[in-house]
Amino acid sequence: MIFVTNDDGIDAPGLKALAEVLETLDEVYVVAPDRERSAVGMAITLHQPLRAKKVRPRAYAVDGTPVDCVDLALGTLLPEPPKLLVSGINRGQNLGVDIHFSGTVGAAKKGTLLEIPSIAVSLALEGAAKRPDFHYKTAATIACRIAKQVVEKGLPKQILLNVNVPNCQLSEVKGIKITRQDMGTYSANAITRLDRGGRPYYWIGGDRAQVDFGGDTDLHAIHNRRVSVTPVQLDFTDHTLITPLKAWLADENMQL
Ligand code: MN
């Protein structure tokens, strides 16, 4: 059985396209937020109860976050542990540092923590693939091929795949690239407005400021109309800095 979730909500067209195509591989269960919960990362709901509503056979809408959905699915709603979790298809890219904020990737991270092979799939709307229409079918077709590989070959522990697909026809996709995460940053951006009482309120959300744009990055692949597949690890430790930092302990300031 394959478990499908997302952060755009149970009614999102990307979720429908993904679930439909994965049915060709195996039985699909859907547990997804009852409304859009984009950019909530790995947030969980601890201070109020959660409700799950059965909306179709093998499909539940939950009034919580994507990670809540994974917890509920694995903890009670699914009849057995899935052999694969696929999160998406997100409306919009999850490239570079986006993965820290993404609810789509957040759900795949949670699946990985629970030792389920997990894939996050996003339809990239920036770069060369910027279009007014949404090619979820392209992303679904590619997601299905990658899902098949993951089921057959498995993934190492603590590793998920972050897949981004350019928003175009399948015939216009220029291939699949295995990439690394672009480490460009966003600008801090806050728009200030005044409410009717004259009090300020704000909208946040920056633009990509610098882009590292090595030829091997996820962003580069998408800007060249290629599918980007990044192996993402949950271990945030910088192993190269362990030894140099140990040398700091010799400093007299660090003596206890
Ligand atoms: Mn989303």
Side-chain angles (χ1 to χ4, degrees):
M1 179 251 292
I2 299 173
F3 167 35
V4 170
T5 189
N6 75 348
D7 76 356
D8 291 341
I10 190 86
D11 296 320
L15 179 84
K16 186 165 177 272
L18 181 62
E20 266 175 24
V21 77
L22 291 176
E23 289 275 4
T24 64
L25 296 183
D26 203 345
E27 190 170 55
V28 170
Y29 274 75
V30 175
V31 182
D34 62 358
R35 70 202 82 165
E36 185 177 346
R37 302 302 298 266
S38 290
V40 299
M42 291 191 77
I44 52 173
T45 304
L46 292 180
H47 302 291
Q48 63 185 62
L50 293 165
R51 305 275 178 178
K53 185 179 168 194
K54 192 168 188 176
V55 291
R56 296 184 292 278
R58 304 191 309 280
Y60 298 85
V62 173
D63 58 349
T65 67
V67 171
D68 290 335
C69 291
V70 178
D71 268 321
L72 272 194
L74 275 291
T76 179
L77 296 175
L78 302 185
E80 63 190 76
K83 62 184 181 190
L84 181 71
L85 179 161
V86 190
S87 179
I89 298 163
N90 189 58
R91 181 183 183 278
Q93 60 281 349
N94 280 303
L95 299 166
V97 295
D98 297 347
I99 66 173
H100 292 292
F101 307 96
S102 167
T104 306
V105 179
K109 284 159 83 178
K110 180 65 189 189
T112 306
L113 286 174
L114 295 171
E115 302 190 332
I116 309 294
S118 299
I119 309 170
V121 184
S122 303
L123 187 66
L125 304 177
E126 72 172 65
K130 202 163 186 168
R131 301 278 182 91
D133 45 352
F134 298 103
H135 293 272
Y136 288 113
K137 198 155 179 266
T138 303
T141 302
I142 287 160
C144 190
R145 293 185 193 190
I146 293 169
K148 201 161 178 238
Q149 292 289 316
V150 170
V151 168
E152 280 172 19
K153 299 185 167 75
L155 285 174
K157 271 192 194 326
Q158 308 298 324
I159 307 290
L160 62 101
L161 296 184
N162 182 38
V163 177
N164 281 268
V165 179
N167 185 34
C168 59
Q169 304 276 1
L170 189 60
S171 59
E172 297 173 308
V173 176
K174 291 185 180 163
I176 302 181
K177 275 200 86 176
I178 308 302
T179 57
R180 68 177 173 87
Q181 182 190 345
D182 184 282
M183 282 311 293
T185 53
Y186 276 90
S187 56
N189 220 335
I191 296 168
T192 306
R193 297 263 191 273
L194 295 180
D195 69 16
R196 289 168 62 88
R199 290 171 298 249
Y201 66 94
Y202 310 97
W203 290 103
I204 59 160
D207 300 312
R208 288 190 202 281
Q210 314 129 4
V211 169
D212 86 16
F213 252 140
D216 54 351
T217 69
D218 51 3
L219 209 54
H220 188 272
I222 283 298
H223 279 254
N224 288 279
R225 214 182 274 170
R226 292 188 170 89
V227 175
S228 166
V229 180
T230 310
V232 172
Q233 58 187 3
L234 295 185
D235 181 356
F236 279 20
T237 310
D238 181 354
H239 293 273
T240 67
L241 212 55
I242 297 273
T243 302
L245 277 181
K246 278 181 179 168
W248 287 23
L249 299 179
D251 192 284
E252 63 181 26
N253 280 321
M254 297 292 281
Q255 303 301 313
L256 297 180

